[in-house]
Amino acid sequence: MKTIFESFADVAGLVPHKSLFERTGQPAISYGEALELTQRLAGVLSTQGVMPGDRVAAQVGKSPEAICLYLATLQVGGVYLPLNTDYTSAEVDYFLGDAAPRLFVCAPDQLAAHAARYGERIACSSLGTSGDGSLMEAASGAEPKVDHVARAMDDPAAILYTSGTTGRSKGAVLTHGNLASNTAALLESWGFTREDRLIHALPIFHTHGLFVAVNMTLVAGATLLWQSRFAPETVLDLMGSATVLMGVPTFYTRLLQCERLTREAAAGMRLFVSGSAPLLADDHKSFEARTGHAILERYGMTETCMITTNPYDGPRKPGAVGMPLPGIEVRVADRETGSPLPQGEIGAIEVRGPNVFQCYWNMPEKTAAEFRADGFFITGDLGQIGEDGYLRIVGRDKDLVISGGYNVYPKEIEGLIDELSGIVESAVIGVPHPDLGEGVTAVVVREAGAEIDEAGVIAAIGPQLARYKQPKKILFVSELPRNVMGKVQKAELRKTYADLFS
Ligand code: MCA
Ligand code: AMP
């Protein structure tokens, strides 16, 4: 099997003039041009001392150049570490401290501050969304690096941070084999080819936007209709010249609010994919009624890339996430023992295969705790395999909220709120939200006489927390419901506030 970089370089050699990136109002970027820029960036990375195994961290806006930086990192044998652009400096501090990258690439307006803070131990460079910044300046004069560092399938290719239900975020180490095997499985399952034109409106610092959408395109030799962010009207404009859309459920909820979403508007499209969070069965049905397309829902996780998918040829069932991708084993097991359960029973979803990550960066105990002795990874999701063989996700064993496709870990927010003066304790939950799927909500107990209010809490925690993690509502109560063991009953709270956003 070839690495993602090798497959991309092969395609660029075969079809150098084919468009890789198409952007409205800007010239397209061909495979050949993207390879040439990647090679110049690889030259810069080498000059900056990036050696095989070194981490290259990037907190940069969405641009074709950022994808070339990812590819250049793979070319020199580095490990790519993308960071959400929404992360605050407190959050970035932790990631850089933990991963100790050789190079940190940030937005141009952040470079001076980051270089002052990290410059002594980490080289800092910048990349803007219009091809500006010090990295591109260096690349413009750099010699293209034509050779690449050969990597084995079990060598690390990327680290993606995923928050833990307890403690700090964990860096999931994904290997070249994880990325290449998952891409191959998805290409086969979804019939994705060089003829495809994918509307890309997802962020590129997560598995969905980078390792599903971009990797599939690069390996197939397809074309990306490149959008800086998701805007439903623009997506509708593009549908006439596209074949595939990949999105989180919020994309589909918002598209359904557009009158222009009709059978005619979607007539040229081949496939609509949804994942990262549960797609409402009602949205699935309404979308099919409006467009004639049944959305293909798939299930994945940062640690495992994609795990299951509804069939491309065959019924795509609302509320189900389908069957394992080729080469991947999925079982529903007893939550305590890991013994497989009879079909139809609800239990822990566990997965084994070439898609499953290598380890959490520098956290051997946490890695070991998530695996069974026979090598199955415990996803933390609860599910059931029906008589039809389809997996259905019925809940989560982990304390996690998914808002608009982004994971939010209650513990992290509770920790910040509980530290504030005038607060006794808090419980952060996700409650149904018509747009985001779940809305982050904090239920808070104040000390007697304390006057801190919703705005006060947000103002205090805001600077430390990415915006998408910040509670959409803060409710004050006299006490939190507890079970006999003294544990806060979040299920009870979710029930009480189920209609908060409706
Ligand atoms: C933006 N805001 C959010 C979110 N996004 N708040 C909560 N949850 C969010 N997801 C904030 C903004 O900061 C803003 O705050 C306010 O909400 C309104 O923003 P809006 O303009 O509506 O947001 P948007 O820019 O349209 O973004 C919504 C979005 C976006 C399109 C749903 O969040 C998105 O692209 N999500 C995709 C995430 C994703 O790729 N997930 C994959 C990871 P204020 O008004 O206060 O400033 S999971 C994964 O990779 C696994 C493996 C998998 O299975 O795929
Ligand atoms: P992340 O850690 O950001 O990769 O998020 C992974 C989690 O997203 C999974 O463990 C699931 O809880 C959730 N998820 C992903 N796809 C789906 C889906 N199609 N339906 C329900 N939940 C999903």
Side-chain angles (χ1 to χ4, degrees):
M1 202 165 21
K2 293 191 170 178
T3 66
I4 297 295
F5 172 78
E6 289 165 342
S7 297
F8 159 67
D10 284 356
V11 171
L14 284 171
V15 285
H17 302 297
K18 171 141 202 221
S19 292
L20 169 52
F21 297 98
E22 286 187 12
R23 296 167 293 173
T24 317
Q26 283 175 284
I29 298 174
S30 69
Y31 271 87
E33 288 164 332
L35 178 62
E36 210 251 344
L37 175 56
T38 299
Q39 291 174 334
R40 279 189 286 115
L41 286 167
V44 176
L45 297 187
S46 296
T47 312
Q48 301 228 357
V50 177
M51 302 292 287
D54 280 349
R55 277 75 58 211
V56 173
Q59 187 185 32
V60 295
K62 186 172 175 181
S63 70
E65 291 80 7
I67 296 301
C68 294
L69 172 62
Y70 155 61
L71 289 164
T73 304
L74 300 185
Q75 184 184 344
V76 300
V79 179
Y80 190 62
L81 195 178
L83 293 168
N84 193 325
T85 44
D86 211 17
Y87 286 147
T88 61
S89 40
E91 290 164 310
V92 170
D93 228 29
Y94 168 74
F95 298 123
L96 297 189
D98 190 54
R102 169 78 53 186
L103 173 68
F104 175 41
V105 184
C106 63
D109 63 352
Q110 306 276 309
L111 182 60
H114 284 316
R117 189 165 178 76
Y118 305 113
E120 278 191 12
R121 52 194 170 95
I122 305 169
C124 294
S125 196
S126 69
L127 176 61
T129 49
S130 41
D132 50 328
S134 61
L135 188 73
M136 288 297 287
E137 275 164 31
S140 68
E143 220 15 64
K145 185 174 163 56
V146 287
D147 54 336
H148 74 281
V149 174
R151 295 272 81 188
M153 283 298 141
D154 57 2
D155 282 328
I159 296 181
L160 258 58
Y161 275 87
T162 157
S163 299
T165 41
T166 55
R168 303 305 305 255
S169 289
K170 301 170 285 187
V173 178
L174 293 157
T175 63
H176 288 277
N178 294 149
L179 303 186
S181 69
N182 210 240
T183 302
L186 289 169
L187 291 174
E188 178 189 335
S189 301
W190 298 346
F192 198 92
T193 70
R194 196 165 291 179
E195 305 310 313
D196 275 308
R197 295 169 56 78
L198 171 69
I199 303 175
H200 195 299
L202 288 159
I204 52 168
F205 38 71
H206 277 307
T207 296
H208 197 165
L210 190 57
F211 299 146
V212 181
V214 170
N215 282 354
M216 285 178 72
T217 303
L218 294 173
V219 175
T223 296
L224 293 164
L225 307 188
W226 194 248
Q227 300 299 296
S228 57
R229 59 184 290 273
F230 173 72
E233 295 293 339
T234 317
V235 167
L236 282 159
D237 290 341
L238 291 171
M239 273 187 200
S241 63
T243 60
V244 179
L245 173 70
M246 294 180 190
V248 295
T250 301
F251 282 22
Y252 295 103
T253 307
R254 291 186 182 179
L255 280 169
L256 280 163
Q257 285 161 8
C258 301
E259 275 177 24
R260 288 170 61 207
L261 182 78
T262 58
R263 204 167 271 267
E264 294 69 41
M269 293 288 286
R270 177 174 81 73
L271 181 62
F272 291 90
V273 179
S274 176
S276 308
L279 178 70
L280 290 174
D282 277 353
D283 280 356
H284 190 292
K285 290 175 196 153
S286 308
F287 199 89
E288 184 163 13
R290 288 269 290 280
T291 65
H293 287 277
I295 298 171
L296 182 152
E297 185 170 9
R298 58 48 173 193
Y299 161 54
M301 212 180 151
T302 300
E303 287 92 331
T304 62
C305 304
M306 298 304 101
I307 305 171
T308 67
T309 179
N310 270 277
Y312 182 67
D313 292 312
R316 302 177 194 162
K317 300 189 179 178
V321 293
M323 274 78 67
L325 286 163
I328 296 175
E329 296 170 84
V330 173
R331 71 182 180 197
V332 170
D334 181 280
R335 290 154 74 182
E336 302 302 324
T337 64
S339 307
L341 293 172
Q343 195 160 9
E345 286 194 25
I346 292 174
I349 302 176
E350 301 186 351
V351 54
R352 186 167 69 178
N355 57 315
V356 178
F357 75 128
Q358 193 167 62
C359 62
Y360 292 116
W361 177 253
N362 278 344
M363 290 183 178
E365 298 83 15
K366 292 213 163 147
T367 307
E370 307 290 335
F371 282 89
R372 303 286 184 196
D374 58 4
F376 273 83
F377 171 67
I378 307 162
T379 61
D381 293 309
L382 298 175
Q384 177 187 40
I385 298 174
E387 276 177 15
D388 55 5
Y390 284 58
L391 177 68
R392 287 170 180 78
I393 300 174
V394 301
R396 291 179 206 134
D397 227 359
K398 50 194 173 191
D399 193 11
L400 160 72
V401 179
I402 306 184
S403 167
Y406 284 138
N407 284 10
V408 180
Y409 285 84
K411 195 109 206 117
E412 185 182 358
I413 302 158
E414 290 161 4
L416 292 174
I417 297 178
D418 294 354
E419 272 177 18
L420 302 178
S421 105
I423 303 289
V424 178
E425 61 174 346
S426 62
V428 169
I429 53 170
V431 298
H433 189 287
D435 180 42
L436 297 168
E438 292 180 329
V440 177
T441 303
V443 188
V444 177
V445 181
R446 271 184 293 226
E447 281 169 8
E451 285 182 1
I452 187 164
D453 59 4
E454 180 166 28
V457 172
I458 294 289
I461 65 173
Q464 297 170 74
L465 217 49
R467 275 203 90 72
Y468 71 88
K469 297 182 189 170
Q470 296 178 16
K472 300 276 176 208
K473 280 249 163 74
I474 297 190
L475 306 162
F476 292 95
V477 296
S478 55
E479 60 179 356
L480 295 174
R482 291 195 134 81
N483 65 14
V484 283
M485 311 290 286
K487 193 168 179 280
V488 174
Q489 290 182 295
K490 290 200 168 178
E492 183 83 7
L493 287 172
R494 280 192 287 270
K495 223 186 279 167
T496 307
Y497 299 112
D499 297 327
L500 194 63
F501 293 107
S502 57

